């Protein structure tokens, strides 16, 4: 029997990432970000909106700009800017009011309640920065697909990208900001009653 050659015994070498990949190379931070986003999606899918609110920072900026059809040489203008109109441009108080409205049982577009599934993927940590006064912030980019079914045949699909900033203070993560880029130029659903 021939002895295995060095190449047969060698552990396969994984190609290194391209120098242009700006992801943070810290598996622990990436794991924590992924775990946070998956837990958040699970809370929303189970309509645990009060628990979801607890994940939000008091200073949250929650925004979904409008998507525009633009020429390839104008892609920087594809989404409406910070001072332009947006589908959502909310802080903690309006998000709490939206949850309170859902709980009344008389929300016309959510009675009966929708069945929703959030799929969150392609999670990348782009930046880690220390916070003044302790803690840290991380910038996370992800993709989402959200399925919504209401009544018998009312179905909506939302696909897009998110850029989040998560803040960690005293060992606890909160969502400090979220910018949602919906991959639809024209909203195809009757109402935007879900959280992204």
């Amino acid at each position: 029997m021939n002895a295995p050659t060095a190449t047969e015994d060698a552990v396969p070498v994984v190609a290194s990432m391209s120098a242009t990949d700006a992801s943070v190379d810290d598996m622990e931070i990436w794991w924590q970000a992924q775990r946070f986003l998956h837990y958040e999606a699970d809370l929303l899918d189970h309509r645990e909106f009060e628990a979801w609110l607890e994940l939000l920072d008091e200073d949250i900026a929650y925004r979904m700009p409008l998507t525009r059809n633009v020429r390839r040489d104008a892609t920087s203008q594809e989404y409406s800017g910070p001072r332009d109109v947006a589908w959502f441009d909310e802080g903690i108080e309006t998000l709490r009011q939206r949850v309170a409205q859902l709980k009344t049982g008389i929300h016309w577009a959510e009675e009966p309640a929708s069945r929703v599934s959030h799929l969150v993927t392609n999670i990348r940590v782009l930046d880690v920065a220390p916070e003044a006064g302790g803690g840290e912030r991380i910038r996370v980019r992800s993709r989402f697909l959200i399925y919504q079914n209401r009544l018998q045949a009312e179905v909506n699909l939302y696909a897009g990208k998110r850029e989040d900033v998560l803040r960690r203070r005293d060992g606890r993560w909160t969502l400090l900001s979220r910018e949602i880029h919906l991959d639809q130029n024209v909203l195809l659903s009757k109402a935007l009653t879900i959280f992204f």
Side-chain angles (χ1 to χ4, degrees), residues 12-53:
V13 176
V14 177
S16 63
M17 297 302 294
S18 164
T20 59
D21 181 5
S23 299
V24 172
D25 193 20
D26 184 328
M27 283 297 282
E28 179 64 25
I29 290 289
W30 174 80
W31 175 254
Q32 290 181 33
Q34 177 176 263
R35 186 176 180 192
F36 180 94
L37 296 178
H38 289 167
Y39 176 59
E40 178 198 17
D42 196 52
L43 290 177
L44 291 172
D45 290 350
H46 286 93
R47 302 182 191 115
E48 296 179 40
F49 301 121
E50 294 289 346
W52 175 71
L53 286 171

Side-chain angles (χ1 to χ4, degrees), residues 99-118:
V99 167
Q101 184 182 24
L102 287 171
K103 290 172 59 178
T104 63
I106 56 171
H107 189 299
W108 70 269
E110 276 300 315
E111 195 57 45
S114 294
R115 288 164 293 279
V116 178
S117 287
H118 289 72

Side-chain angles (χ1 to χ4, degrees), residues 7 30-31 34 65 67 87 89 98 109 116 122 129 132 151-152 155 157 160 175-176 181 192-193:
T7 56
W30 174 80
W31 175 254
Q34 177 176 263
T67 307
W87 291 113
D89 196 352
R98 287 178 60 193
V116 178
N122 295 25
L151 302 173
Q152 284 76 24
V155 172
L157 281 177
L175 179 63
L176 179 61
H181 291 166
L192 278 176
T193 57

Side-chain angles (χ1 to χ4, degrees), residues 107-154:
H107 189 299
W108 70 269
E110 276 300 315
E111 195 57 45
S114 294
R115 288 164 293 279
V116 178
S117 287
H118 289 72
L119 305 179
V120 182
T121 187
N122 295 25
I123 298 167
R124 293 176 60 222
V125 177
L126 301 181
D127 187 48
V128 179
E131 276 242 301
E136 61 191 331
R137 291 182 186 199
I138 62 173
R139 190 165 52 99
V140 182
R141 190 175 288 164
S142 62
R143 302 293 185 272
F144 65 85
L145 179 65
I146 302 173
Y147 172 86
Q148 178 189 25
N149 173 255
R150 191 169 167 273
L151 302 173
Q152 284 76 24
E154 205 171 295

